Amino acid sequence: MSGRHEKDKGVNVQVLLRCRPFSEDELRSNAPQVVTCNDYQREVAVSQNIAGKHIDRVFTFDKVFGPLAQQKDLYEQAVVPIVNEVLEGFNCTIFAYGQTGTGKTYTMEGECKRGKSGPNGELPSEAGVIPRAVQQIFDTLESQNAEYSVKVTFLELYNEEITDLLAPEEISRIASEEKQKKQLPLMEDGKGGVLVRGLEEEIVASATEIFTLLERGSAKRRTAETLLNKQSSRSHSLFSITIHIKEATPEGEELIKCGKLNLVDLAGSENISRSGAREGRAREAGEINKSLLTLGRVINALVEHLGHVPYRDSKLTRLLRDSLGGRTKTCIIATVSPAVHCLEETLSTLDYACRAKNIKNKPEVNQKMMKSTLIKDLYGEIERLKAEVYATREKNGVYIPKERYYQEESERKAMADQIEQMGVLIETRQKQSEEWRERHDARVRQCSDLSSKLCATEKNLNQTIKLLTCTEEELTKCRYGLKERDFIISEQRKAENALAHQACVLRSDLEKALQDNASLFQKIGREDKLSSDNRSVVNNFRGQLSQQIVSLCNLVSTSISQQNEHLQCVQELGHSFLDVHHKSLKELKKKLSASRAVYASHIEAMQNVVSLHNASSIAGLEEISSLASSSTQSIKDYLESEAGQAASIFDDLQSSLSTHQGEVALFAREMRQRFLVSSEKRKEVSEYMSGFLDKILEQCKSLENHAVQADAIQMKNITDFQEAYEEQSKSNAEKLVADINNLVCNHLLLQKELVDARLVDLRETATGNKAFLDVHVSSMECVSTDAKRKWQEFSMQADDGAKDIADYSAAKHCRLESLLQQCVSTAGSAFEHWQKTHDSVNNMGNNHVSELVLLTRNVSESIEQHDAEVDSARVTAEQDVAKNSEDILKRIDSVSDVERGSVSKILDAVKAHANVLETFREDHSGKSAAIEDRAQETFEQRYMDYESTGTTPVRIEPDVPSKGTIESTSSNANGKSSRGISRK
Ligand code: ADP
Ligand code: MG
């Protein structure tokens, strides 16, 4: 069901857009760009400001190829899948639509001159869809190892006339002469298709042949162009490729799969409105664009689903009827220019292409035919054609008057139209019935929806009823609970009344206790007064104690002054000791400074010696270093000069080698080219020979035909003559019997005339034959002489080429040898030079070594001398130092004696100070003991203090409730509780 549905829906026509780059003219005139392509988002944007009006539109297509897209990109992305489908057995059509000069022909045919093709038969990069498709078809079929045949046709449709672009020269010459009569007619093929009668079908055996065919077709189109004023922009060209592929079924039957690819280069779309509505004006210019206009109207009808599609109104739409809304897969390549001056046409093309996207086709695979049926069909076809040929030759077919033929033809057309309309009617009826069925289905679906909803509602109702019964049970339970609570509340009220009575008794007890409390607090006040008296006695005692403490302080201060005196004495002693010490130290310092000076002088002498030594050693070292640097410099210089020479030698060598290489490469390339040229020549000659043979064969055939014809004609003439003669002689004999006498002369004369006339006839035909034969013979001669000349030319060229090659190779050989010798000599010179360098470097090394030995000897001598000097200096310094140290020791002994005396004096002073301190201590202890006694007496015997227990309560006036309030609160509580219950 769904499969059928999908098939009914169909496949949309694929629409691609290609925008060409700016042409050189446009670049020169700096034309602004108005079209921008976004290949990835498959969008084309057109934007332009014209006279304040801003145009900004975006179109989306199945694929978009911008100015940078190459022929190969377009082919691989868009056409490869289509060709694969053709090989699967589909019929496919590709249209190129657009304004003149936007690249339709470039896209379909491209620029594929044979000369531009690659070395291994690869297509040139400019080749368009047609050569690439043929190449792909052959590649695929060859790789499948299939048995196949490929046929192509190439026709042009101009002004509703079909011209065969592949027809042989002679026929087309006749055709152009008798153009009005001999255009190719369209015929229904009896299976719903249309074919062109008498169209040349060329069988192609390899992809390379396509170049010849395209060149032939385009050449014919070109010649026509000059004759017919730019015809190509107003003519359509249709290139068809039909493929038959043999397949074997598992049962061993042979099937033929058939696929067809139509490649249509439409006329320039300028002056055609988007829907073809401007037909009236275009018609003024004749029927030139009828096909294009009809194509527009057909697309319009298909997009808007109009009942009648005007396929029959033009030959193009009749030919390609199946590609538009039929069983063929269709692709439209719309071409536009990016420049501003084409803006209007660009917009029209984009609109047209956008509309075409909505056409739907229902592609079907062509039925595979059994080989036997195909052969049977072909036999039938041959029979039919034979009969036709026979009828034409013998003129014994059916002849009807012209008027009747036209009448019948128009009747036939009318009937065909009627049939078409009926078909449309049936389609609409079918659509209607389908609609009705859909509506019925919708109703059934609605019904089922409603019944399911009803079920759901019933379920809901049952649930609600259950809920209600539950709720009622809960209500009865609640009522029982309320009654229980009422009983509990009445019991509580009785207990509260008893409590109020008890409260009254307690209140009278409380009043009595309060009176006792007041008398107790009066007693506490009295006791407080006594304790304040006691506090004043204690204060007096404090005054006396402070006076005694003052006297004690005075005593202490006098003792302190005594101590100070002692300390001063000690200080003086210390001073005297310090002075002595200072003097001895000064002397010591002087001695030390003298010894230091001596030391310094010694050290200076040492330093001088050392510096002398250093200077000499530095000079020696400098000499060494300068020598070394000079020698290294000389070595460096020498090496640099040598390196330069070596580099130049090596450069020489390298350059000669590279020239060598270059020459060899050039030589190889040239050889290859020459070989290519010679092979090309050979190919040409073989082609020419085959053409020549073909021509000869043709000529032979025509000669044979002519001979047969001539024979037949002569035979016929002779029999005619015999018959006529017999008839005549018979009648004449009868007449002779009657008028034998007077008519003898007449008879003789008549007979003579008749014979003469016949003889003249015969002679004429004979001469005609002879002339014909002569012409043929002369053409044969021409052809053979031509061929001979070509042969000679070729052989001479070949000879020349061979000689050339031989000379060239000899020259190259000589050059190579000289180059090699040069190389050898360069290498020899380099070797000699290298040896010299080696020797000189050795000499320099020797010199260097001897100089260095001398220098080291000098240095060792100076170092020995230096050692001796240093030793003597050290001995004198040691002696001086010993003497000085003895002096210093003596001085220190005397100083220590003086220090001892002063220290004993200090000890005596300290003893006296200790005695004074002892007496002071005794006085102070006596005084403090007296104070202690006094305090004891005061506190133990005179002063008594009150000790608080901390248990005495603070006096407060309690808030005793009256009897009335107690009673009223009890009654209130009763009332409230009863109300609370009712609320609960
Ligand atoms: P049409 O057939 O639509 O009138 P043509 O195919 O003759 O246009 O193209 C006109 C010119 O533009 C030709 O010279 C062609 O080489 C060039 N041209 C068209 N499209 C392209 C393209 N995509 N890349 C390069 N050149 C192109
Ligand atoms: Mg063109």
Side-chain angles (χ1 to χ4, degrees):
M1 172 93 188
S2 71
R4 209 190 78 194
H5 197 63
E6 220 147 79
K7 214 163 113 190
D8 287 348
K9 260 166 96 187
V11 175
N12 276 64
V13 166
Q14 208 193 355
V15 180
L16 323 177
L17 186 107
R18 184 178 203 186
C19 181
R20 72 159 162 77
F22 276 112
S23 69
E24 269 170 25
D25 281 347
E26 284 163 348
L27 283 178
R28 227 176 288 129
S29 65
N30 244 341
Q33 179 175 355
V34 290
V35 177
T36 40
C37 299
N38 188 338
D39 297 17
Y40 296 103
Q41 306 208 308
R42 297 184 273 135
E43 279 178 356
V44 179
V46 183
S47 57
Q48 173 66 4
N49 273 316
I50 300 173
K53 208 178 89 185
H54 188 67
I55 303 176
D56 200 357
R57 296 184 62 189
V58 177
F59 299 83
T60 312
F61 295 99
D62 295 312
K63 282 195 179 79
V64 169
F65 297 94
L68 296 178
Q70 296 297 306
Q71 297 278 56
K72 191 169 172 243
D73 303 334
L74 181 125
Y75 184 77
E76 281 176 359
Q77 287 178 38
V79 189
V80 166
I82 296 176
V83 173
N84 284 337
E85 277 175 339
V86 171
L87 289 166
E88 290 297 314
F90 282 98
N91 290 350
C92 297
T93 303
I94 301 176
F95 287 101
Y97 180 91
Q99 190 187 355
T100 301
T102 51
K104 297 185 296 295
T105 311
Y106 179 81
T107 302
M108 295 311 265
E109 293 174 20
E111 273 147 30
C112 53
K113 302 275 148 48
R114 192 203 304 262
K116 278 195 188 176
S117 62
N120 313 323
E122 274 162 31
L123 291 170
S125 62
E126 302 274 285
V129 169
I130 295 176
R132 285 178 196 272
V134 174
Q135 176 98 49
Q136 189 192 342
I137 286 167
F138 276 105
D139 285 352
T140 315
L141 292 174
E142 286 297 333
S143 68
Q144 285 172 354
N145 250 339
E147 255 185 67
Y148 60 87
S149 83
V150 177
K151 284 189 278 190
V152 302
T153 64
F154 197 10
L155 62 83
E156 182 177 44
L157 184 66
Y158 175 69
N159 205 4
E160 293 300 289
E161 285 168 14
I162 295 172
T163 321
D164 189 351
L165 291 178
L166 296 184
E169 279 306 314
E170 295 94 308
I171 293 175
S172 75
R173 201 160 54 226
I174 294 165
S176 63
E177 280 162 11
E178 306 172 35
K179 195 122 196 163
Q180 292 315 108
K181 290 176 218 164
K182 288 232 172 176
Q183 15 157 322
L184 303 175
L186 279 182
M187 255 176 46
E188 310 281 334
D189 65 355
K191 295 173 202 160
V194 175
L195 52 86
V196 184
R197 196 160 72 184
L199 187 65
E200 197 75 13
E201 276 193 325
E202 197 86 18
I203 291 181
V204 186
S206 75
T208 45
E209 279 180 37
I210 205 69
F211 292 115
T212 332
L213 288 180
L214 271 179
E215 262 169 39
R216 206 161 98 194
S218 311
K220 200 171 275 182
R221 238 184 138 179
R222 262 203 300 284
T223 51
E225 195 171 287
T226 51
L227 292 175
L228 289 165
N229 183 22
K230 278 268 172 191
Q231 178 183 337
S232 89
S233 70
R234 294 196 231 135
S235 71
H236 315 280
S237 76
L238 166 58
F239 189 93
S240 302
I241 309 170
T242 314
I243 313 165
H244 288 101
I245 309 169
K246 196 167 92 179
E247 276 183 348
T249 58
E251 292 88 53
E253 256 177 337
E254 287 183 334
L255 293 177
I256 306 290
K257 191 163 74 176
C258 173
K260 188 171 183 186
L261 177 63
N262 296 315
L263 300 158
V264 190
D265 182 1
L266 290 171
S269 64
E270 47 272 9
N271 299 323
I272 303 299
S273 84
R274 283 141 224 211
S275 58
R278 233 190 283 170
E279 193 194 0
R281 210 178 77 188
R283 185 169 271 165
E284 287 167 16
E287 290 210 298
I288 287 166
N289 273 321
K290 187 172 182 184
S291 283
L292 205 57
L293 288 166
T294 312
L295 183 66
R297 284 196 287 125
V298 164
I299 288 175
N300 216 27
L302 285 170
V303 170
E304 276 164 21
H305 302 292
L306 302 180
H308 175 67
V309 183
Y311 289 115
R312 299 191 62 82
D313 288 4
S314 79
K315 285 193 173 160
L316 182 73
T317 46
R318 275 179 78 192
L319 266 173
L320 297 169
R321 177 185 185 148
D322 209 35
S323 308
L324 298 158
R327 287 167 304 172
T328 301
K329 289 203 166 181
T330 305
C331 166
I332 297 178
I333 303 177
T335 59
V336 295
S337 148
V340 70
H341 61 264
C342 304
L343 179 63
E344 203 186 333
E345 286 306 326
T346 302
L347 281 172
S348 139
T349 303
L350 289 170
D351 276 334
Y352 191 98
C354 258
R355 284 181 78 76
K357 276 202 298 188
N358 298 322
I359 304 174
K360 285 194 162 122
N361 283 350
K362 293 159 195 162
E364 274 176 31
V365 181
N366 291 322
Q367 272 190 341
K368 290 176 184 170
M369 280 183 285
M370 244 132 62
K371 193 181 174 187
S372 48
T373 37
L374 184 75
I375 289 170
K376 227 182 271 169
D377 279 1
L378 287 175
Y379 270 124
E381 177 85 8
I382 289 169
E383 284 304 313
R384 199 172 58 73
L385 287 173
K386 260 190 195 164
E388 251 176 46
V389 168
Y390 187 74
T392 351
R393 196 193 298 152
E394 298 293 312
K395 299 210 184 341
N396 63 357
V398 180
Y399 289 92
I400 47 170
K402 236 183 193 173
E403 290 84 46
R404 216 182 112 199
Y405 170 74
Y406 284 131
Q407 196 190 338
E408 277 179 2
E409 194 69 1
S410 62
E411 272 172 16
R412 207 172 54 77
K413 260 190 197 167
M415 261 164 56
D417 280 347
Q418 237 179 350
I419 288 165
E420 203 170 273
Q421 276 169 7
M422 279 165 127
V424 170
L425 209 71
I426 286 168
E427 255 178 42
T428 49
R429 286 282 148 78
Q430 269 179 349
K431 267 186 204 158
Q432 259 183 357
S433 74
E434 205 118 292
E435 257 174 48
W436 283 117
R437 203 177 298 145
E438 270 172 24
R439 274 194 210 170
H440 172 74
D441 286 350
R443 284 283 148 79
V444 168
R445 251 179 273 136
Q446 248 183 354
C447 272
S448 67
D449 276 3
L450 281 174
S451 62
S452 63
K453 268 187 199 166
L454 192 68
C455 277
T457 322
E458 272 174 4
K459 260 189 216 161
N460 255 349
L461 190 67
N462 285 342
Q463 275 180 356
T464 320
I465 287 165
K466 268 186 211 161
L467 224 98
L468 195 67
T469 51
C470 287
T471 321
E472 272 171 0
E473 273 172 25
E474 265 176 33
L475 190 67
T476 52
K477 269 186 206 166
C478 282
R479 273 186 196 144
Y480 183 69
L482 268 179
K483 268 182 201 159
E484 270 183 353
R485 234 172 263 170
D486 278 348
F487 174 73
I488 290 166
I489 287 161
S490 66
E491 286 298 305
Q492 273 184 348
R493 206 178 296 154
K494 275 180 211 162
E496 263 174 21
N497 286 343
L499 279 173
H501 178 71
Q502 278 287 325
C504 283
V505 175
L506 282 173
R507 192 190 158 276
S508 59
D509 286 354
L510 187 64
E511 271 174 347
K512 223 187 268 171
L514 278 176
Q515 277 170 2
D516 290 351
N517 232 2
S519 60
L520 276 172
F521 273 113
Q522 277 170 358
K523 194 183 163 193
I524 288 167
R526 282 195 302 275
E527 277 179 353
D528 280 350
K529 206 188 163 213
L530 190 79
S531 69
S532 70
D533 287 351
N534 284 345
R535 206 165 291 143
S536 68
V537 171
V538 168
N539 284 348
N540 282 349
F541 168 68
R542 257 182 212 162
Q544 284 172 353
L545 200 66
S546 67
Q547 277 170 4
Q548 283 194 350
I549 283 169
V550 165
S551 68
L552 193 70
C553 279
N554 290 341
L555 206 76
V556 169
S557 67
T558 52
S559 95
I560 282 169
S561 63
Q562 275 178 341
Q563 275 183 16
N564 278 347
E565 275 166 25
H566 279 293
L567 283 174
Q568 261 176 351
C569 179
V570 171
Q571 235 174 356
E572 274 163 19
L573 280 173
H575 278 311
S576 70
F577 172 72
L578 275 176
D579 284 343
V580 170
H581 201 79
H582 200 66
K583 273 176 202 159
S584 65
L585 273 180
K586 258 186 194 164
E587 268 175 65
L588 205 65
K589 264 180 199 165
K590 269 180 202 161
K591 277 270 173 196
L592 275 173
S593 63
S595 70
R596 210 177 286 156
V598 170
Y599 242 121
S601 69
H602 280 302
I603 284 164
E604 231 167 72
M606 280 256 285
Q607 265 176 343
N608 286 344
V609 170
V610 168
S611 62
L612 237 161
H613 186 78
N614 274 358
S616 74
S617 62
I618 283 165
L621 283 173
E622 263 170 13
E623 217 176 330
I624 292 170
S625 67
S626 69
L627 263 173
S629 65
S630 69
S631 66
T632 48
Q633 191 61 37
S634 66
I635 287 171
K636 219 186 270 170
D637 289 348
Y638 183 71
L639 279 178
E640 261 169 24
S641 67
E642 286 312 297
Q645 272 183 355
S648 71
I649 287 164
F650 277 115
D651 281 352
D652 270 357
L653 260 173
Q654 260 176 344
S655 65
S656 69
L657 281 174
S658 63
T659 49
H660 213 96
Q661 258 181 336
E663 297 244 311
V664 168
L666 204 77
F667 177 60
R669 217 179 304 140
E670 266 176 11
M671 286 293 269
R672 213 175 300 138
Q673 265 176 2
R674 264 149 210 264
F675 271 112
L676 279 177
V677 167
S678 66
S679 67
E680 192 77 18
K681 283 256 170 68
R682 216 189 317 121
K683 239 188 258 169
E684 230 178 271
V685 167
S686 66
E687 265 175 21
Y688 185 79
M689 281 306 278
S690 66
F692 171 61
L693 283 175
D694 285 349
K695 269 189 193 161
I696 286 179
L697 272 176
E698 258 173 49
Q699 295 283 350
C700 281
K701 246 183 231 167
S702 68
L703 255 178
E704 220 174 56
N705 285 348
H706 190 77
V708 169
Q709 269 180 16
D711 202 23
I713 289 165
Q714 273 180 347
M715 289 301 284
K716 203 170 157 239
N717 279 350
I718 287 162
T719 48
D720 278 358
F721 174 58
Q722 226 173 6
E723 274 169 21
Y725 184 67
E726 267 170 20
E727 232 176 53
Q728 201 70 31
S729 65
K730 220 191 262 172
S731 63
N732 284 355
E734 277 168 11
K735 272 188 188 169
L736 267 173
V737 172
D739 317 322
I740 201 148
N741 285 327
N742 53 355
L743 288 176
V744 156
C745 308
N746 278 358
H747 165 68
L748 279 171
L749 271 170
L750 247 169
Q751 216 162 13
K752 198 171 180 275
E753 268 172 27
L754 208 72
V755 169
D756 280 354
R758 286 291 165 189
L759 280 173
V760 164
D761 238 355
L762 274 172
R763 214 171 290 144
E764 265 173 16
T765 48
T767 49
N769 284 347
K770 198 167 178 274
F772 184 77
L773 280 173
D774 281 354
V775 167
H776 273 280
V777 166
S778 67
S779 76
M780 290 265 283
E781 269 176 5
C782 269
V783 167
S784 57
T785 48
D786 210 346
K788 213 190 250 172
R789 194 165 42 74
K790 272 251 171 179
W791 255 121
Q792 274 172 352
E793 246 175 55
F794 169 66
S795 63
M796 260 156 73
Q797 270 181 356
D799 278 355
D800 285 354
K803 248 185 235 164
D804 251 356
I805 288 168
D807 289 350
Y808 188 72
S809 62
K812 281 289 139 185
H813 201 240
C814 285
R815 176 105 181 95
L816 275 173
E817 268 184 354
S818 70
L819 273 171
L820 277 173
Q821 252 162 7
Q822 225 175 304
C823 274
V824 167
S825 64
T826 325
S829 69
F831 187 65
E832 276 173 18
H833 198 83
W834 196 238
Q835 267 186 339
K836 267 190 220 161
T837 314
H838 198 251
D839 289 356
S840 57
V841 165
N842 271 349
N843 283 344
M844 270 171 79
N846 290 341
N847 286 349
H848 214 92
V849 165
S850 61
E851 270 173 357
L852 273 176
V853 166
L854 209 81
L855 262 174
T856 44
R857 211 179 293 147
N858 280 352
V859 168
S860 64
E861 275 169 14
S862 72
I863 284 170
E864 272 169 20
Q865 210 181 337
H866 180 79
D867 276 353
E869 277 170 10
V870 166
D871 277 347
S872 68
R874 201 191 46 186
V875 169
T876 50
E878 269 176 359
Q879 285 170 354
D880 281 350
V881 165
K883 205 175 153 198
N884 277 340
S885 63
E886 266 172 29
D887 273 8
I888 290 167
L889 277 174
K890 274 178 200 159
R891 256 347 277 177
I892 286 170
D893 281 348
S894 66
V895 167
S896 66
D897 285 347
V898 174
E899 272 179 356
R900 226 174 277 146
S902 48
V903 163
S904 67
K905 275 180 200 161
I906 290 167
L907 276 177
D908 290 348
V910 166
K911 248 181 213 161
H913 185 72
N915 289 342
V916 170
L917 275 177
E918 183 65 23
T919 54
F920 169 69
R921 195 182 55 83
E922 275 167 9
D923 280 359
H924 192 258
S925 67
K927 284 277 171 194
S928 61
I931 291 166
E932 246 171 50
D933 290 347
R934 189 99 181 121
Q936 228 173 358
E937 197 189 286
T938 309
F939 285 115
E940 278 178 6
Q941 292 169 12
R942 284 191 199 169
Y943 190 73
M944 293 289 277
D945 214 351
Y946 163 76
E947 271 176 31
S948 81
T949 55
T951 51
T952 322
V954 184
R955 192 176 178 184
I956 32 167
E957 285 299 328
D959 194 17
V960 182
S962 69
K963 247 185 193 173
T965 51
I966 290 167
E967 271 157 17
S968 72
T969 46
S970 82
S971 71
N972 266 351
N974 285 345
K976 254 184 206 167
S977 63
S978 67
R979 246 179 286 145
I981 285 158
S982 73
R983 208 185 291 149
K984 272 182 186 174

